[in-house]
Amino acid sequence: MANLYYIQNMRVVIQRVTGASVTINETIHAKIEKGLLVFVGIEDADDMEDIAWLSNKIANLRIYDDENGVSNVSVKEISGDILLVSQFTLHASTRKGNRPGYIKASKPEIAIPIYEKMIKQLSNDLGKPVCTGEFGADMKVELINDGPVTIVIDTKNKE
């Protein structure tokens, strides 16, 4: 269980895309068409409560237009895809100096199990498998941002 005084802060950057892919060692590892590209940063104190809340929020976020042109439809409702990519740099601290520090980002032995739980939960909430990058790999991510629509959410503020 997380220390009650520790600020939990799983962080995501969500981009609505018409297409996105992850290439590793010059080979396409994962590719989606219409859907969401989600970068996720994990901290040690992140737990199943954070995962469940965030996954539900991502799957049901109403950022697609309905028949009246109003953002009122989720990726789940359009049968869109999700590409989930772990990105520890979302927890970069730039407070001191010009070299970002990553002390708040989880080490692989903690982050990988949390990332795997997030994949499973997001697949359940979406109703189909999500595509992923490869944890710790040097990935080349390509996307076509639709809108553009980019949303940042963290579990600390629940916004």
Side-chain angles (χ1 to χ4, degrees), residues 97-148:
N98 292 318
R99 180 181 296 146
Y102 303 105
I103 192 76
K104 291 176 75 177
S106 289
K107 302 289 184 255
E109 58 273 11
I110 294 172
I112 291 171
I114 294 171
Y115 179 62
E116 289 172 350
K117 288 175 185 174
M118 182 66 177
I119 294 166
K120 184 176 181 182
Q121 184 66 51
L122 195 51
S123 293
N124 287 340
D125 288 343
L126 187 61
K128 63 181 180 178
V130 298
C131 296
T132 66
E134 182 179 310
F135 192 95
D138 180 19
M139 298 176 273
K140 308 302 180 208
V141 180
E142 293 186 64
L143 70 131
I144 302 170
N145 195 315
D146 182 19

Side-chain angles (χ1 to χ4, degrees), residues 13-21 31-39 54-64 73-76 78-85 122 126 130-131 143-146 149-151 153:
V13 174
I14 302 166
Q15 298 193 353
R16 188 178 75 182
V17 298
T18 57
S21 65
K31 184 176 182 177
I32 65 168
E33 301 286 325
K34 187 174 186 174
L36 302 175
L37 171 59
V38 180
F39 295 103
L54 193 54
S55 176
N56 180 64
K57 182 65 76 175
I58 293 166
N60 294 294
L61 197 61
R62 299 184 310 173
I63 58 173
Y64 288 93
V73 182
S74 70
V75 68
K76 184 176 181 177
I78 66 158
S79 298
D81 294 316
I82 293 178
L83 175 54
L84 183 68
V85 177
L122 195 51
L126 187 61
V130 298
C131 296
L143 70 131
I144 302 170
N145 195 315
D146 182 19
V149 173
T150 302
I151 296 172
I153 301 175

Side-chain angles (χ1 to χ4, degrees), residues 23-44:
T23 300
I24 302 170
N25 296 325
E26 300 182 22
T27 302
I28 294 177
H29 178 77
K31 184 176 182 177
I32 65 168
E33 301 286 325
K34 187 174 186 174
L36 302 175
L37 171 59
V38 180
F39 295 103
V40 60
I42 298 167
E43 287 189 357
D44 290 357

